[in-house]
Amino acid sequence: QAGDVSNDSSLDTEASGIRSALGRSIDKDGSTDVTRVNVTVLVDKTASMKFSTDRDTFETMCSFVAGVLSVLSSGHSISLMTSSSSDPRIRVENPEEISSLAERIIPVREVGWNSDLHQIPPDESVVVISDDIPAEVLKLPNRMHVLSSRKPLVEHQTSTTYFDPMLISAIKNHDQRLLAAPVRQMFDALTGSAPREDH
């Protein structure tokens, strides 16, 4: 199977389950030529995130990202930024590091995003982990997918995965059937296979 390769032993079990769900979806398509892209992961660490997103949900979101990126960014760069300008944009060595973000990124009292989004090259794909996506992020021209712990208040045209209890349970139980659509949606949005509305 093209997507189900064996070098995911260092991923946590949830990320491995995501990886394998995505691998199966790609295999079903019969597409052996998987698009790989450079990705920047933007993590919201504002005060609202602290109140809306418990650590367990945040860890699950990070595992989801790690699982998809282990397929998507193989051989390409992954960079990490947060909503805070005091955190430099850093290069992440491998997707497994994304799984452990909850241990390193602690929400702060800052209100709103103040990081310099111009650091992100326009040809990179962007993954946003947030509870409330700011307009500045949505205005980026990049291919984008948002993982949100709350249902977005405003309907925007950006591809979004909403982490409701049903999805979280599917991730924890490795329910390949329920995971097939969300993992594929994120993959397609980041590789440009899914049409993105212009803002």
Side-chain angles (χ1 to χ4, degrees):
Q1 289 187 314
D4 205 12
V5 289
S6 57
N7 65 352
D8 62 353
S9 54
S10 45
L11 289 173
D12 64 49
T13 54
E14 288 174 10
S16 295
I18 296 295
R19 178 192 179 93
S20 122
L22 179 55
R24 283 186 187 172
S25 163
I26 292 168
D27 288 332
K28 216 170 264 175
D29 273 4
S31 51
T32 47
D33 189 22
V34 177
T35 312
R36 315 280 188 192
V37 291
N38 294 332
V39 176
T40 293
V41 179
L42 274 176
V43 181
D44 183 348
K45 59 183 274 192
T46 58
S48 77
M49 189 74 173
K50 178 176 184 154
F51 295 115
S52 70
T53 310
D54 61 53
R55 186 186 163 109
D56 191 45
T57 301
F58 183 55
E59 285 179 353
T60 307
M61 292 165 94
C62 292
S63 291
F64 191 92
V65 172
V68 173
L69 292 193
S70 67
V71 175
L72 187 77
S73 61
S74 179
H76 283 63
S77 75
I78 303 172
S79 301
L80 175 68
M81 286 176 72
T82 75
S83 52
S84 171
S85 59
S86 55
D87 293 330
R89 179 172 192 257
I90 57 166
R91 181 87 173 258
V92 177
E93 288 307 313
N94 51 43
E96 297 86 80
E97 287 185 40
I98 302 289
S99 288
S100 60
L101 286 183
E103 293 158 22
R104 305 203 321 241
I105 294 183
I106 310 297
V108 289
R109 285 199 170 80
E110 286 178 21
V111 176
W113 291 57
N114 56 24
S115 56
D116 176 14
L117 299 174
H118 294 104
Q119 298 176 65
I120 305 172
D123 60 343
E124 283 204 9
S125 294
V126 174
V127 174
V128 185
I129 301 177
S130 176
D131 67 329
D132 182 23
I133 307 102
E136 311 88 79
V137 173
L138 293 177
K139 281 191 197 122
L140 287 170
N142 308 61
R143 290 181 301 264
M144 184 183 301
H145 185 78
V146 176
L147 292 87
S148 179
S149 54
R150 289 194 299 196
K151 240 184 169 38
L153 301 175
V154 181
E155 277 304 313
H156 48 74
Q157 300 303 317
T158 307
S159 175
T160 305
T161 302
Y162 165 49
F163 278 69
D164 61 2
M166 199 167 105
L167 178 63
I168 291 170
S169 158
I171 293 168
K172 294 193 177 305
N173 297 317
H174 308 290
D175 186 331
Q176 303 277 322
R177 194 178 50 81
L178 281 177
L179 292 173
V183 295
R184 192 52 197 259
Q185 182 194 356
M186 178 171 171
F187 178 84
D188 287 346
L190 295 174
T191 56
S193 314
R196 179 168 184 230
E197 312 279 328
D198 281 335
H199 299 293

